[in-house]
Amino acid sequence: MFLRPSEHELHCLMVASLDGDGAAYRCLLEALTPLLRAYFRRRLHDDLSAHAEDLVQETLLALHARRMTFDPAFPFMAWVHAIARHKLIDFLRRSRRAVQVPLDDFAELLADPADGAALAGARLDVDALLSRLPERTRAVIAKTRLEGKSIAETSAETGLSVASVKVIVHRGILALRNQFGGKT
Amino acid sequence: MTDPGKELIDRLVRDLRPVPALALERRLLAALGLGLLGAAVLMAGLLGLRHDWAAMMASPVFLVKLAYAGGLALAGAVATARLARPLGRAGAALPTALAIVLVVAAAALLALAEAPAASRRELVLGRTALVCPFLIAMVSMPVLAGLLAVLRRLAPTRPLAAGAAAGLLGGAAGTMVYALHCPETGLPFVALWYTAGILLTTLLGAGLGKFCLRW
């Protein structure tokens, strides 16, 4: 495990780097890399976390190209942090503008009607309506109108004649209509 | 397998050159110098030097013009150099600029109060009030453009403020050049229309900075 380098050490390395000391500069950049990596990883989540490494490199490049903006009278890490933060904000602004929602998310939602809260609510309303009907009528209407079974299937399952099933469905719907005054 | 991070560091170390003292200030000064040259060419080519320039240079109003614009340019220069660094703030430059404007405005009001009523209109409007702010902004453009070009390669983290500071410096420096053409002699005219020209350039700088100073 590496010890986190101190502000004083990094500041000295930076001052030497500004004088053109390549060894100090390499040491500085190698010390900064894991710090920057941790900084960006902490702040980028989910699908953006893959960009942390790019941002580390972009920040190192910016530190290099703009190193004359470092004033040795001020703390070194505050300067690094300001540039890293600027790069992060710039990246987030760019990625928000180009937000892409994968289309299959929508397809999934549409394919499963049980997912829709509105549909679930409608189903509860229908159950409440049916509960007011007599037991046999309710069963027949549920089979023919909700479960999508044919008159013949319903007749076979309930032991009622086809004609009786038709009559029960017709009367049941009429009863519901009378009770709530709605139109079917 | 080569590590891209290692490769980048190798490249940056190879590219390392010593940074001389005051490198940032020198770059801004170089941009200012080149910009002033451009402004002088623009002024002499499009507007023309005042024909009585030799006599004018000794006149008190011309010196006031230079001192006023010079003071604002100094405040703008300090602010620009500070805002060119990450986390830099304009600091005392903004109140200083405001104080300079207020002092000149107060002097202009005094001059106006002492002048006979009949000449007041002439003192405020002169003959070029309508064009003066726009000509100042035009003459200032080379300075502003040069400063923004340099700022782009520095590290301003407040693009709007940095652009405004460059606009203040550019506008004030351009005004010093424009004074060599300007035929006006009234202090109230200077306090009103020169200020308007510098303000216009400052606003232009702020707007341009917001868009140009991304890095």
Side-chain angles (χ1 to χ4, degrees):
Chain A
M1 173 136 174
F2 294 107
L3 272 176
R4 195 188 157 95
S6 73
E7 158 69 28
H8 178 71
E9 286 167 320
L10 294 172
H11 195 283
C12 290
L13 287 175
M14 182 62 183
V15 171
S17 305
L18 287 177
D19 284 338
D21 181 340
Y25 195 44
R26 176 179 296 281
C27 202
L28 179 71
L29 294 179
E30 280 169 359
L32 283 179
T33 302
L35 297 179
L36 290 172
R37 191 174 291 138
Y39 175 85
F40 287 121
R41 283 198 181 152
R42 264 200 306 278
R43 284 161 183 80
L44 292 172
H45 303 289
D46 308 325
D47 52 325
L48 291 182
S49 57
H51 297 275
E53 211 52 40
D54 290 346
L55 276 169
V56 171
Q57 301 217 3
E58 246 183 75
T59 306
L60 288 179
L61 266 170
L63 293 175
H64 177 78
R66 297 160 205 277
R67 62 191 188 279
M68 71 166 60
T69 64
F70 171 65
D71 185 342
F74 289 93
F76 172 68
M77 280 315 284
W79 178 74
V80 172
H81 178 258
I83 290 181
R85 187 169 170 275
H86 182 84
K87 282 290 166 198
L88 178 68
I89 291 172
D90 182 56
F91 168 77
L92 290 176
R93 193 189 292 129
R94 271 184 287 134
S95 57
R96 199 175 310 136
R97 205 180 300 146
V99 159
Q100 289 170 357
V101 180
L103 204 60
D104 41 353
D105 281 6
F106 281 112
E108 245 172 56
L109 192 67
L110 291 173
D112 187 0
D115 253 11
L119 285 175
R123 181 59 204 255
L124 286 177
D125 291 345
V126 171
D127 286 347
L129 276 179
L130 289 180
S131 69
R132 302 177 182 225
L133 295 173
E135 173 67 43
R136 198 180 62 171
T137 312
R138 191 194 322 166
V140 171
I141 288 187
K143 282 187 198 306
T144 54
R145 293 301 172 98
L146 298 180
E147 294 165 25
K149 288 179 177 148
S150 69
I151 302 286
E153 280 171 327
T154 310
S155 159
E157 279 180 32
T158 54
L160 296 161
S161 71
V162 170
S164 304
V165 170
K166 282 183 182 171
V167 170
I168 290 169
V169 168
H170 181 66
R171 284 188 186 154
I173 297 290
L174 266 184
L176 285 175
R177 198 186 293 173
N178 289 338
Q179 213 166 340
F180 296 96
K183 296 171 185 172
T184 42
Chain B
M1 194 183 115
T2 55
D3 174 6
K6 172 97 172 58
E7 222 172 83
L8 177 70
I9 290 180
D10 285 343
R11 190 151 65 82
L12 297 186
V13 169
R14 264 199 312 278
D15 189 50
L16 183 71
R17 303 281 175 278
V19 173
L22 297 175
L24 178 142
E25 287 79 0
R26 281 192 212 174
R27 277 216 188 165
L28 286 172
L29 270 181
L32 179 64
L34 275 175
L36 277 172
L37 206 65
V41 169
L42 217 56
M43 185 276 296
L46 293 178
L47 306 173
L49 203 64
R50 243 174 84 150
H51 59 273
D52 60 343
W53 60 272
M56 171 198 69
M57 284 203 174
S59 73
V61 165
F62 179 73
L63 296 178
V64 167
K65 287 175 180 175
L66 279 193
Y68 182 39
L72 289 179
L74 209 60
V78 170
T80 306
R82 296 183 56 149
L83 286 160
R85 299 176 190 276
L87 298 184
R89 292 179 168 281
L94 188 64
T96 305
L98 283 178
I100 294 172
V101 170
L102 285 179
V103 165
V104 170
L109 283 177
L110 269 179
L112 213 53
E114 282 179 9
S119 66
R120 281 181 190 160
R121 195 184 145 80
E122 163 76 13
L123 278 177
V124 173
L125 293 179
R127 276 158 298 149
T128 58
L130 279 179
V131 291
C132 168
F134 302 105
L135 291 181
I136 284 181
M138 183 193 78
V139 168
S140 304
M141 278 309 116
V143 190
L144 177 57
L147 290 172
L148 287 177
V150 167
L151 276 178
R152 260 183 79 83
R153 308 191 56 192
L154 298 173
T157 49
R158 293 184 175 83
L160 191 108
L168 177 61
L169 171 53
T175 297
M176 296 172 84
V177 174
Y178 178 75
L180 294 169
H181 156 81
C182 175
E184 303 293 344
T185 53
L187 181 60
F189 180 95
V190 172
L192 193 57
W193 303 108
Y194 274 38
T195 310
I198 295 173
L199 189 66
L200 177 64
T201 316
T202 305
L203 293 177
L204 265 170
L208 287 171
K210 185 136 179 55
F211 291 101
C212 301
L213 299 181
R214 295 228 171 113
W215 49 277

